Amino acid sequence: MKHIKKITTCILIIAATTTPVFAQFDLAATTLSAYIDLLKTHNFGTAIQVWDEVNVERSERFGIEFDNIPIKVDCASPLMRNYEIGIESMTQVAKSQFNLEDGYMYLVYSTILNNELIEYKYYLTKRDGYYWLTLPQDYFSRYWEIKETKYFRIHFDPTVEKYLHDNVIAGAEQTVELLVKELELPEEILQTIAEKKIEYYYCGSDSVVKEITSHQIRGTLDLASNDIISASFPHKHELVHLLTNIKLKKLPLYTLPLMREGFATAFGGRWGKDCRALVDLGLFLYREKLVELDSIMTIRGFMSYTGADMAYPVAALWNLYLIEKLGLEDYFSLYRQLSGQFSRLNRLHHLSIKQIYVDALPFDNWGDLIADFDETVDEKFNGSTLIRPGLVQNGSTLISEDEYSVTKDKDWVSFHFLKTEDSTLDEGTLFLGPDEKIKDMNSVLFEEHFKDLKTFPGYRYAVRFDRNEAGLYDYVTNRLLAKYIIGISAGEGYHGENGSVLLSLNKSFFDEIKLDSKEVLLWNE
């Protein structure tokens, strides 16, 4: 009955708002035109009824609101993102129409804003003889199967079904619980998430993500719907974005990337790299002055660092410093202060942003703040180094084999990969942590490492090394936990006598990993 009333309402809307200008368009174009007319007259309560109810429910699921965005489910469009500066003045043109399968289509909407042509795709779905605005992920995933877990409703591309092993899902559930605790969210949030679910679109590749989002990215949080759309699972960085919005509830749509991306990287990592590994990298980039804080303050400055890749680790370090000084509650007050309308944020000069930080912490000037940052980094974060070249001195021996040995002291576990006259161990993988429960598992990361040449041996972790770099990997979460690269990472002494490799990892990694010759497996590559 509710749906019939909604259809009747929209018929009246279209009849009342359609003019001879739109008579040339079919029903889909007329629906979009009617929607835009309703926005121009601030008739938001009726305008939202033009959207598919399923999309509206997902958009409102966690009670998140964006300032000055009257219809959140449409917040990705230029209509909503520029609403404050005058939607009434926008020229509306449905430039072209593309028919898709199963009653779907999209219209390319064009408008002039600040003398600039802006185009945007509006997707529509036909139901009961009428068109409704919808979201692209609903079209692209229409034949995907759905797997419901404690916290997730996973819509998955058929090509990734084999990666949704019980242990992977259990790890994802644990990630949600740990993040809720780390972000100091009330425990009731977990019950809410368990009831309502995080809608997760697990794509088969980055190209599928691009089809849905129109951006060449690994994954994203769709702010309009609260859906996570990603080619990896779980995408911890995007989970942090979602939980941050759930925590703040009502916030501006935009936040300076130094804060928004820095925070998500500090707690969620990025590019399949663990947050601790990226903070380690951030330490090096900052100390070597490869990335200056001054240069990543503004939106343009942040994005200028090779597509922001180099900015993220230093931004994570900066955000951890702010949290250390302010605590999470005051940190989020500062986070809100550095959020707002895009046009305002984009105009902010780095000197103005610096002053906001100086006043918030507070310090007398930027020089004093940076001096404290440098001191805090040395004291608080230097000890968090996860990986380094060289071996521990006077450590106890855990494993001694012809091709490698493992020793430890109270802080580090060292690996000595030998190269002798009888060995050509230039590169290899030492597997750690065998687990019968994952022997039948398919690992995305393992397949990236070995292609189709090897069968997964059922070990959760691996130390991989060659002549130039080494890393510790987790094949269940598909994440890099620590990385050393000659010439980029700090420290020397990676090469020993006869070309052997000397490497030490923080002992905290091995609290639950048994290190003896029966519990490891070496593959010489």
Side-chain angles (χ1 to χ4, degrees):
M1 190 69 180
K2 179 182 176 184
H3 194 64
I4 294 173
K5 286 181 179 178
K6 180 175 174 182
I7 293 173
T8 305
T9 301
C10 288
I11 292 172
L12 293 173
I13 293 167
I14 293 169
T17 57
T18 301
T19 68
V21 175
F22 301 121
Q24 60 185 306
F25 294 109
D26 63 10
L27 184 57
T30 307
T31 300
L32 179 58
S33 298
Y35 172 68
I36 294 169
D37 283 346
L38 288 166
L39 295 181
K40 287 187 173 185
T41 57
H42 296 212
N43 198 342
F44 307 127
T46 307
I48 199 169
Q49 294 181 43
V50 183
W51 280 88
D52 191 322
E53 291 174 332
V54 173
N55 298 153
V56 175
E57 185 280 322
R58 297 209 308 270
S59 178
E60 297 176 349
R61 183 171 294 178
F62 298 114
I64 300 165
E65 297 178 33
F66 295 125
D67 296 345
N68 303 307
I69 300 292
I71 298 182
K72 179 177 175 289
V73 71
D74 194 23
C75 73
S77 81
L79 293 174
M80 287 296 108
R81 293 193 172 215
N82 296 284
Y83 188 82
E84 274 193 311
I85 60 177
I87 190 175
E88 295 86 354
S89 63
M90 292 186 184
T91 304
Q92 58 188 62
V93 180
K95 182 180 178 181
S96 51
Q97 172 180 314
F98 294 85
N99 292 315
L100 304 170
E101 297 175 349
D102 302 322
Y104 285 89
M105 68 164 55
Y106 69 81
L107 300 175
V108 178
Y109 170 85
S110 299
T111 189
I112 302 296
L113 181 65
N114 295 330
N115 298 317
E116 180 183 354
L117 175 65
I118 294 176
E119 295 186 341
Y120 182 75
K121 291 180 183 178
Y122 270 104
Y123 280 76
L124 299 98
T125 181
K126 192 173 185 180
R127 192 176 61 248
D128 301 321
Y130 298 95
Y131 279 102
W132 311 94
L133 294 173
T134 190
L135 295 168
Q137 54 265 40
D138 288 39
Y139 167 68
F140 287 101
S141 68
R142 67 195 185 283
Y143 293 133
W144 294 3
E145 291 188 40
I146 298 173
K147 187 179 185 69
E148 198 164 291
T149 72
K150 184 177 182 181
Y151 299 125
F152 296 95
R153 185 174 293 107
I154 308 167
H155 308 245
F156 58 90
D157 186 310
T159 62
V160 299
E161 181 177 9
K162 64 179 182 178
Y163 302 120
L164 288 172
H165 189 273
D166 288 346
N167 281 67
V168 172
I169 291 172
E173 313 273 44
Q174 185 180 38
T175 294
V176 172
E177 292 170 354
L178 289 173
L179 285 174
V180 164
K181 185 176 181 180
E182 289 176 351
L183 302 187
E184 298 179 7
L185 283 155
E187 287 190 12
E188 308 87 78
I189 289 295
L190 285 174
Q191 183 177 348
T192 300
I193 295 173
E195 291 173 358
K196 298 185 175 183
K197 308 300 181 189
I198 296 169
E199 220 73 35
Y200 203 107
Y201 291 80
Y202 186 10
C203 304
S205 65
D206 294 359
S207 61
V208 178
V209 176
K210 185 179 180 181
E211 278 190 300
I212 296 173
T213 67
S214 299
H215 298 289
Q216 187 64 57
I217 49 178
R218 183 68 177 170
T220 189
L221 168 67
D222 178 34
L223 297 175
S225 62
N226 306 313
D227 301 343
I228 294 176
I229 304 165
S230 179
S232 60
F233 179 84
H235 198 144
K236 193 176 178 184
H237 185 95
E238 303 308 327
L239 281 171
V240 174
H241 281 317
L242 175 60
L243 291 172
T244 300
N245 290 351
I246 291 174
K247 181 180 179 72
L248 297 179
K249 287 292 184 187
K250 185 171 175 57
L251 69 157
L253 186 62
Y254 293 98
T255 302
L256 284 180
L258 178 58
M259 297 292 287
R260 184 177 189 271
E261 298 303 330
F263 183 81
T265 304
F267 286 87
R270 194 168 184 260
W271 321 297
K273 299 177 179 65
D274 189 72
C275 46
R276 294 191 300 171
L278 288 177
V279 170
D280 243 20
L281 177 59
L283 280 165
F284 174 76
L285 293 172
Y286 177 72
R287 284 181 174 147
E288 297 297 315
K289 301 189 183 302
L290 297 174
V291 178
E292 299 275 5
L293 269 175
D294 282 32
S295 302
I296 60 174
M297 289 280 172
T298 64
I299 293 175
R300 290 189 186 93
F302 190 95
M303 299 309 297
S304 70
Y305 270 87
T306 59
D309 283 359
M310 289 181 66
Y312 279 79
V314 176
L317 188 65
W318 175 245
N319 277 260
L320 288 174
Y321 165 74
L322 295 174
I323 294 167
E324 172 74 14
K325 291 296 177 181
L326 296 170
L328 266 182
E329 185 175 347
D330 288 342
Y331 166 85
F332 278 119
S333 295
L334 177 60
Y335 188 97
R336 289 181 185 276
Q337 193 176 353
L338 290 167
S339 303
Q341 188 179 340
F342 180 81
S343 57
R344 180 185 75 83
L345 294 178
N346 202 35
R347 289 194 305 267
L348 276 179
H349 193 274
H350 75 280
L351 294 176
S352 302
I353 299 170
K354 281 182 178 181
Q355 192 58 50
I356 292 172
Y357 286 126
V358 167
D359 293 341
L361 285 168
F363 284 92
D364 291 333
N365 55 64
W366 180 253
D368 290 348
L369 190 160
I370 284 298
D372 186 72
F373 175 62
D374 291 342
E375 183 179 339
T376 303
V377 163
D378 288 339
E379 291 180 0
K380 179 72 178 177
F381 301 111
N382 191 35
S384 70
T385 299
L386 306 174
I387 188 169
R388 69 181 191 188
L391 305 177
V392 299
Q393 300 299 315
N394 302 316
S396 57
T397 300
L398 301 176
I399 303 174
S400 181
E401 299 288 344
D402 291 340
E403 292 185 307
Y404 70 97
S405 63
V406 182
T407 57
K408 72 168 185 176
D409 65 10
K410 63 182 182 66
D411 298 315
W412 298 90
V413 173
S414 293
F415 298 84
H416 188 182
F417 297 103
L418 305 169
K419 184 176 181 181
T420 65
E421 292 181 0
D422 300 324
S423 171
T424 57
L425 195 59
D426 288 323
E427 57 182 305
T429 301
L430 184 66
F431 291 96
L432 313 166
D435 186 344
E436 287 293 327
K437 292 183 292 185
I438 64 173
K439 271 204 167 183
D440 62 340
M441 187 183 79
N442 291 283
S443 167
V444 174
L445 185 58
F446 179 86
E447 290 181 9
E448 287 178 4
H449 287 167
F450 296 99
K451 311 303 179 190
D452 297 326
L453 303 177
K454 302 276 189 177
T455 301
F456 182 61
Y459 289 74
R460 175 162 185 168
Y461 303 98
V463 176
R464 284 174 57 80
F465 64 93
D466 62 24
R467 305 302 302 154
N468 300 305
E469 60 184 66
L472 177 65
Y473 298 86
D474 182 338
Y475 287 127
V476 171
T477 63
N478 297 303
R479 296 177 72 80
L480 169 68
L481 303 179
K483 185 80 167 180
Y484 176 83
I485 304 174
I486 293 176
I488 294 179
S489 306
E492 297 179 353
Y494 183 69
H495 292 142
E497 293 182 4
N498 301 319
S500 59
V501 169
L502 316 177
L503 178 72
S504 293
L505 285 156
N506 195 293
K507 190 172 178 290
S508 62
F509 286 124
F510 302 96
D511 292 341
E512 299 179 3
I513 301 175
K514 190 175 181 181
L515 290 171
D516 68 43
S517 57
K518 296 179 181 178
E519 301 289 328
V520 300
L521 171 68
L522 178 67
W523 282 0
N524 184 343
E525 299 168 31

